[in-house]
Amino acid sequence: MADHSERDEFTELPDLSEFLREDPYLVPYQEDLCRRYQLFTERLSKLEEAEGSFDDFTRSYMSYGVQRQANNSLMFKEWAPGAQALFLTGDFNDWNSTSHPYTKKEYGKWELYLPPKRNKAPAIEHETKLKLVVLTSEGEELFRISPWAKYCHKHVDSNTYDWIHWDPIRPFLHQHTRPKRPRSLRIYEAHVGIASPAEEIATYTNFTLNVLPKIKDLGYNCVQLMAIMEHAYYGSFGYQVTNFFAASSRFGTPEDLKRLVDTAHSLGITVLLDVVHSHASSNTADGLNKFDGTDSCFFHSGPRGHHPQWGSRLFNYQSWEVLRFLLSNLRWWMEEYRFDGFRFDGVSSMLYHHHGIAMSFSGGYSEYFGMQVDEDSIIHLMLSNHILHTLYPDCITIAEDVSGMPGLCKPVKNGGLGFDYRLNMAVPDKWIQILKELKDEEWDMGNIVYTLTNRRKGEGSIGYSESHDQALVGDKSLAFWLMDKEMYTNMSSLIPMTPVIDRGIQLHKMIRLLTHALGGEGYLNFMGNEFGHPDWLDFPRKGNGESYQYARRQYNLLDPDNNLRYTQLYAFDRDMNLTEDKYGWLASQKVLMTTADEKDKVIVFERANVMFVFNFHPSNSYSDYRIAAGPNGKYRIKLDSDAEQYGGHGRLDTDTEFFTEQEPFKGVNDQWQPHSLKVGYSTAGWVGYSTPVWVGYSTAGWVGYSTPVWVGYSTAGWVLGPSRFLCSPCMTLLCFIHF
């Protein structure tokens, strides 16, 4: 952790020079940017003046809730401004609701002191069940859980969660330091509860022992954990948080989660928490809602405090104590569990009073400024990022924002909100739209490239072809859109591929690599999608008979004894990540786009001295195909989606060397490149169709050909090709070799 005294000194106005130079459309909105910045600096100054430092202020988890002192006495502290009285009850006092009253302090705060027992042990033992009793102004007694509770648990015969005092005699001690922040961020998005083939809720321990090794093997250097903050409703995917400081007890104990994070660090894996500060569950008995008996304790009162679509409560980010609570919550996860950063959920909902509902953001800059923007939320996000990046310089923050807010991922001192990355949410939507609405021959190469590269200059983006959103019931994963029901019957590697399976496997690899290479400065994959998981995701609910059949990830499909083609997709995903790890294209800002040919369905570009060549044509393969080249020299194949180990047909000679020629080539936007080279060289020297060799498929297998070597999948016929050419559909990654 950095010394907060070394933080940047903030001036009255931000340095907008680079921001405005990169995006001149912001010039009319300079005053808005400056006002936001001034509100941020005023808020930060008031905080430090009142609390001494933001370091102390954001460690309030060390004074609120319950704290064991050096002499084993216990101090309790809560903020409940609407309460008339506050009491502590539980197993320790036989659930007497009035025997242990809190003392009222200033500003709605309450305190209780419990001396140690005669044997000097704490008055309340580890794992004791507790409740707060709130006496309202109407004289009603409400049983509540402390907002600062560190562990909550629900018994099978109970409808609500209980506050469990967590104070183990031998707490887990982290053994490994945080890994260095990755230059190229490759994220494995994961949910602990579904991380097993078994039809049950999986555990932190299962994830530690069985999933982390897979993540390491796959070449991901970061795991993003969903649904960690306690949530009463399992089917909410963790986005209806009830207890913000408690790690979900469904999966195990707090110590189990700490062990998971520590083990990940030992493997060099960065760990991000999917943090939900955009809203909270509307539960009252085990949530924050109406904690002190009023509608406005942590939230806005009235309609502003309720999300009209999610049915959840919306925080009052202008409240001093809400600021204390949420900023301390970030520090808690960083300090107690040693997370390395956060993916902030629901940022679009926070940024605007309309919460993005019924909005189709056009990119017009008036959408990002004006009365519809919630400046309280913006200032809160600026404070969150400033404090995190000041105290933890290697901390990573990612924003889930669909609106395209300019400056979201610019430093606060330069007029931005301070995030490191935003999720490139348009990309998965584009892939799903293509697969749903277009025939293969109708794919628009230029539009695909535009979608993948259409992001704000100088702001980091995380590219992904699909996430958990696409896996949920009611939607389909890429693999399911491509292969549908044939995934259940025709994925055996012991039988020839059907046209559907062949097309699906080839496009699954190409879509993911194109997104990986062109879609951002980081890459994200949702667990299981790396091998084309066949099922959607559906949590237990009344509508499915409380079944766990689809609330799991079937890693057992990767068992070699099953002889399934999922292992081929897994192998490609692993080698894709390992190749990126070697050449580092995600960390390279420069992309040389040279070909997006609509007729040939070919995309070619260079990034980090690596040339990517994609042929999306549904039937045409090409030999002697000329493409532009950046550096002059020799290229060799480093990754080939058509390789047999990836479910391809092995039609390329990977030992082929490609030499540039002094022949100019006109590429994208009529930009001339001084060098070019030919790929797909073959002695046959042909382009396109030859006599079809596929004559039908039956349940008995291939008819008329014992070892198919066909390529393509159009109704016009199958193409038999030579051994070295630009195959269809196929992707070839060439690496520049310096002489």
Side-chain angles (χ1 to χ4, degrees):
M1 186 179 75
D3 183 353
H4 73 275
S5 64
E6 297 175 0
R7 66 184 182 273
D8 294 330
E9 292 298 327
F10 287 90
T11 57
E12 292 184 3
L13 295 175
D15 180 4
L16 300 177
S17 54
E18 180 182 353
F19 197 5
L20 299 180
R21 184 171 61 253
E22 291 178 342
D23 192 348
Y25 291 104
L26 284 169
V27 172
Y29 302 97
Q30 289 184 73
E31 290 186 6
D32 296 86
L33 293 172
C34 290
R35 185 182 66 257
R36 291 178 184 175
Y37 183 84
Q38 288 176 319
L39 290 172
F40 156 74
T41 56
E42 289 172 6
R43 189 75 161 164
L44 184 63
S45 297
K46 289 180 180 178
L47 185 155
E48 293 182 323
E49 180 181 346
E51 301 286 342
S53 71
F54 63 69
D55 188 7
D56 294 336
F57 182 66
T58 57
R59 286 181 182 267
S60 293
Y61 58 81
M62 299 179 71
S63 55
Y64 281 70
V66 53
Q67 307 294 330
R68 178 161 55 87
Q69 307 301 305
N71 65 348
N72 277 345
S73 62
L74 297 175
M75 282 295 301
F76 295 80
K77 187 175 183 180
E78 301 293 343
W79 177 66
Q84 293 302 302
L86 202 66
F87 305 89
L88 183 69
T89 188
D91 292 334
F92 76 101
N93 67 356
D94 296 325
W95 295 95
N96 187 316
S97 62
T98 58
S99 63
H100 288 74
Y102 282 68
T103 301
K104 189 173 184 178
K105 301 294 182 180
E106 293 182 307
Y107 311 114
K109 297 171 185 175
W110 300 80
E111 292 183 357
L112 169 64
Y113 173 78
L114 294 183
K117 297 178 180 178
R118 289 183 178 179
N119 63 2
K120 298 184 180 180
I124 298 177
E125 297 178 353
H126 174 53
E127 294 189 282
T128 297
K129 187 186 299 184
L130 300 172
K131 286 283 187 178
L132 289 171
V133 181
V134 178
L135 182 66
T136 70
S137 56
E138 290 79 21
E140 184 181 7
E141 277 190 354
L142 304 175
F143 287 84
R144 295 288 188 257
I145 292 176
S146 168
W148 304 82
K150 299 169 185 175
Y151 186 60
C152 297
H153 188 269
K154 182 173 79 71
H155 288 284
V156 177
D157 58 350
S158 175
N159 292 322
T160 60
Y161 275 72
D162 292 310
W163 171 20
I164 306 298
H165 177 53
W166 193 258
D167 187 18
I169 297 175
R170 295 180 181 86
F172 179 83
L173 299 177
H174 293 266
Q175 302 296 315
H176 302 93
T177 58
R178 289 186 171 101
K180 186 178 180 181
R181 175 171 169 158
R183 291 184 66 248
S184 296
L185 196 61
R186 302 182 299 275
I187 303 171
Y188 195 85
E189 184 184 34
H191 184 293
V192 171
I194 66 172
S196 165
E199 295 184 27
E200 61 187 16
I201 297 176
T203 65
Y204 296 124
T205 300
N206 166 75
F207 198 93
T208 302
L209 297 177
N210 299 317
V211 182
L212 285 179
K214 287 185 174 66
I215 296 172
K216 178 66 175 179
D217 179 63
L218 281 162
Y220 291 96
N221 55 19
C222 177
V223 58
Q224 178 181 298
L225 294 178
M226 310 170 62
I228 295 299
M229 303 166 77
E230 190 61 270
H231 48 291
Y233 177 44
Y234 189 45
S236 73
F237 228 139
Y239 293 124
Q240 294 273 346
V241 176
T242 46
N243 312 106
F244 283 73
F245 287 81
S248 181
S249 60
R250 285 185 182 86
F251 317 133
T253 69
E255 313 310 296
D256 294 335
L257 176 58
K258 292 173 186 177
R259 186 173 293 105
L260 186 161
V261 175
D262 193 54
T263 303
H265 287 168
S266 75
L267 297 172
I269 298 173
T270 295
V271 189
L272 304 183
L273 175 70
D274 201 343
V275 70
V276 186
H277 283 183
S278 50
H279 64 130
S281 168
S282 59
N283 288 16
T284 54
D286 49 14
L288 287 179
N289 190 22
K290 298 184 178 180
F291 169 66
D292 66 350
T294 71
D295 188 49
S296 59
C297 185
F298 286 91
F299 311 106
H300 289 289
S301 60
R304 189 180 177 186
H306 297 263
H307 197 287
Q309 280 191 345
W310 298 342
S312 51
R313 296 305 312 268
L314 299 176
F315 287 105
N316 178 3
Y317 299 108
Q318 201 172 34
S319 164
W320 194 268
E321 293 304 320
V322 171
L323 188 66
R324 181 195 305 278
F325 181 76
L326 294 178
L327 293 181
S328 294
N329 189 235
L330 297 175
R331 291 294 305 279
W332 166 257
W333 294 108
M334 292 292 289
E335 291 288 335
E336 185 72 13
Y337 289 91
R338 301 289 180 88
F339 280 90
D340 304 297
F342 303 94
R343 178 254 198 199
F344 282 73
D345 179 70
V347 170
S348 298
S349 175
M350 296 176 68
L351 294 176
Y352 308 97
H353 291 297
H354 54 62
H355 308 299
I357 298 172
M359 282 292 298
S360 179
F361 290 95
S362 66
Y365 280 63
S366 60
E367 296 172 343
Y368 307 124
F369 302 94
M371 297 298 292
Q372 72 272 19
V373 176
D374 189 336
E375 287 194 332
D376 291 340
S377 297
I378 286 179
I379 303 312
H380 174 75
L381 291 172
M382 293 170 73
L383 282 168
S384 298
N385 278 303
H386 166 65
I387 289 170
L388 285 172
H389 288 117
T390 300
L391 295 173
Y392 313 95
D394 285 341
C395 178
I396 298 169
T397 59
I398 302 171
E400 186 208 28
D401 170 46
V402 70
S403 73
M405 167 72 75
L408 187 71
C409 301
K410 284 286 187 184
V412 172
K413 64 181 180 181
N414 297 128
L417 273 65
F419 286 98
D420 298 299
Y421 302 92
R422 57 156 46 90
L423 293 175
N424 198 345
M425 301 180 72
V427 173
D429 292 341
K430 172 56 64 177
W431 287 124
I432 296 300
Q433 181 230 335
I434 288 172
L435 295 177
K436 285 174 65 174
E437 301 175 5
L438 301 179
K439 299 177 181 178
D440 293 351
E441 58 268 24
E442 295 174 344
W443 286 27
D444 186 329
M445 300 295 103
N447 184 255
I448 291 172
V449 169
Y450 173 78
T451 303
L452 286 166
T453 58
N454 181 31
R455 51 186 184 269
R456 297 199 176 277
K457 186 177 181 181
E459 300 193 39
S461 288
I462 302 293
Y464 59 107
S465 53
E466 53 186 337
S467 70
H468 67 272
D469 290 322
Q470 286 72 42
L472 290 171
V473 63
D475 206 337
K476 295 180 181 180
S477 66
L478 284 180
F480 219 71
W481 278 112
L482 289 163
M483 294 175 279
D484 206 66
K485 61 184 180 181
E486 287 205 23
M487 298 187 75
Y488 297 121
T489 57
N490 296 327
M491 285 295 280
S492 173
S493 59
L494 301 179
I495 62 172
M497 288 185 286
T498 67
V500 169
I501 295 298
D502 187 34
R503 170 185 179 267
I505 284 179
Q506 312 318 324
L507 287 179
H508 189 272
K509 293 177 291 186
M510 294 170 66
I511 287 171
R512 291 169 67 81
L513 179 58
L514 182 58
T515 304
H516 198 305
L518 202 58
E521 292 70 39
Y523 177 75
L524 179 141
N525 164 69
F526 178 63
M527 62 189 311
N529 288 348
E530 69 275 7
F531 62 86
H533 197 278
D535 287 329
W536 55 86
L537 188 60
D538 190 12
F539 286 92
R541 54 187 173 86
K542 290 183 179 179
N544 65 13
E546 302 296 335
S547 172
Y548 286 86
Q549 181 179 356
Y550 297 110
R552 57 183 178 138
R553 296 279 93 176
Q554 298 182 61
Y555 288 110
N556 56 305
L557 296 174
L558 299 173
D559 188 333
D561 293 338
N562 290 330
N563 296 305
L564 297 174
R565 296 192 183 277
Y566 299 106
T567 60
Q568 298 167 342
L569 295 176
Y570 179 99
F572 182 79
D573 199 81
R574 178 192 61 220
D575 290 353
M576 173 179 69
N577 282 320
L578 296 180
T579 306
E580 195 289 326
D581 187 61
K582 181 176 181 179
Y583 296 103
W585 59 71
L586 288 171
S588 175
Q589 298 297 315
K590 184 179 179 181
V591 177
L592 178 62
M593 196 77 216
T594 58
T595 301
D597 193 294
E598 301 301 337
K599 177 176 175 292
D600 296 337
K601 302 301 180 188
V602 172
I603 294 174
V604 183
F605 58 92
E606 292 187 40
R607 192 174 182 185
N609 274 346
V610 177
M611 180 183 291
F612 298 83
V613 185
F614 293 83
N615 178 13
F616 280 98
H617 203 286
S619 58
N620 286 3
S621 298
Y622 307 103
S623 64
D624 289 342
Y625 195 88
R626 186 169 294 279
I627 59 176
N632 184 31
K634 178 174 68 174
Y635 289 77
R636 294 195 65 180
I637 296 174
K638 290 297 179 182
L639 185 65
D640 170 23
S641 69
D642 195 49
E644 291 180 352
Q645 67 264 34
Y646 308 139
H649 302 286
R651 294 160 294 183
L652 294 181
D653 182 354
T654 56
D655 292 329
T656 303
E657 294 181 344
F658 302 87
F659 295 87
T660 58
E661 302 172 12
Q662 297 291 337
E663 183 171 334
F665 183 90
K666 186 169 71 172
V668 175
N669 298 325
D670 294 329
Q671 295 293 315
W672 284 92
Q673 300 299 324
H675 308 108
S676 61
L677 56 82
K678 290 181 179 180
V679 294
Y681 173 82
S682 83
T683 54
W686 56 265
V687 179
Y689 295 100
S690 67
T691 305
V693 298
W694 178 71
V695 290
Y697 179 76
S698 71
T699 54
W702 291 97
V703 181
Y705 229 88
S706 60
T707 309
V709 293
W710 47 265
V711 297
Y713 45 84
S714 80
T715 54
W718 299 102
V719 185
L720 176 65
S723 63
R724 293 189 291 178
F725 58 115
L726 186 57
C727 310
S728 163
C730 178
M731 166 274 146
T732 305
L733 188 153
L734 303 173
C735 178
F736 174 64
I737 307 297
H738 291 280
F739 285 121

